[in-house]
Amino acid sequence: MLESAHYLCNSAEMNADPFSDILKLMKAETLVTGGFSAGGAWSLRFPAPEKIKFFAVVKGHCWVCIDGEAPLQFNTGDVGLLTAKRSFVLASAPEVPPQDAMRLFSGAGRSTATVGDGRDFAHIGGHVLLDPASGRLLADVLPPWIHVPAASPQATTFRWLLDQLLAERAAGLPGAQLATAQLAQLLFIQILRAHLQTTSPMPASWLRALGDPRIAPALRLMHGDPARAWHLDELAKACAMSRTTFALHFRTIAGVAPLTYLTGWRMRLAERELGQNTPMAVIAQSLGYTSESAFSHAFKRVTGHSPRAYRTARMAAGTPAAAA
C-alpha cells in the first residue's frame, strides 16, 4: 500500500507542467482585438502598447519597423510578439510615410479597417493580459520582440491556428468569442514554445530553464510538490547528473541555484494566496513551512516585505480579485 502511494506521488510530481503552472499563476489571457487589410502603398504607425502585443500576417507581406530596431520583413504566416513599450510601424515599404493607425480605427466598437483597396495584405492582432504583480515574471525575461517566421519548424501549427482564428471571426457562429480567445491563447503558447526552441542564446532565466531538457525532471519535481523539502541529491539524481554538475548547470541556465529557484516559486505561490485572503497558517503549511514565523521570515527575506504588509498593500489596491 505504501509503495503504491509512493508511486502515485512520484507520478504526480513527474507529470507536473511548470510552464503551465507559471502561465496560470500570471493569469495569462490572450485576446484578438482586430485587424486590417491594405492595398497599394500604405503605412500605419501604432503607439507603444501598454500590454504585450501580438500580430500575424495572414495575407501578403509587410515591413515591421519597431522603434530602435532595423526594419524587418514579415511574410504570410509570420507571427510577431512585441513586449517592449515601443511604437512601431507596419508598412508596404519602409520609405512610405506613416499615418496614425489610431485615427484609422477610431469609432465606437471599430476593430477592423481597410487601407487603400485592401487587396494585397491582411493582418490580425491582439494583446496578452497578465496579472499586474506576477505578470512581471514573464515580461522581465522576454526579449523586446519575437519574430516567428512561417518557415519555422512550428509553421504547420501556426498556419492552422491562424486559419481557425480567421474562420471563427468571419463565421459569427455561437461561441465564436470564446473559441477565438482559446485559439489566441494557443497562439501565444506556441510563440513562447518557438522562442524556447530558438538557436539564439538566451540569458539565464526561468524561461530558459523550462526549455532545457537536462534539468526538466528537477523542475517537474519541484513544481509537482513545492512543499517538500527537496535535497540537491534527489534533484540531481532525477536529472541523471552528479550533484556538482547539476548545481552548476542549473545555475548557468536558470540564473539561480536549484533550491533558490524552489524558494522563489514558493513565494510566488504565497503572493497569490495572500491576495486571495487565504489564512497565513494555511499558506505556511501548504508550502512546507513548520510555522507561520518560518514562512514569514522566508517571505520577507525573498520579497523584502512581510506577508501582512504585502497583503495590506494588495488590499489597498482594491478587492482581492481586482488586485489580482
Side-chain angles (χ1 to χ4, degrees), residues 46 76 87 91 185 202 234-235 273 291 294 305 310:
F46 294 82
T76 303
S87 62
Q185 189 82 337
M202 291 174 59
E234 294 176 282
L235 300 174
E273 296 306 315
S291 66
H305 307 282
Y310 180 86

Side-chain angles (χ1 to χ4, degrees), residues 77-100:
D78 284 16
V79 179
L81 189 76
L82 178 64
T83 62
K85 293 183 178 180
R86 303 182 191 176
S87 62
F88 62 98
V89 172
L90 302 182
S92 58
E95 64 272 12
V96 179
Q99 60 174 303
D100 182 9

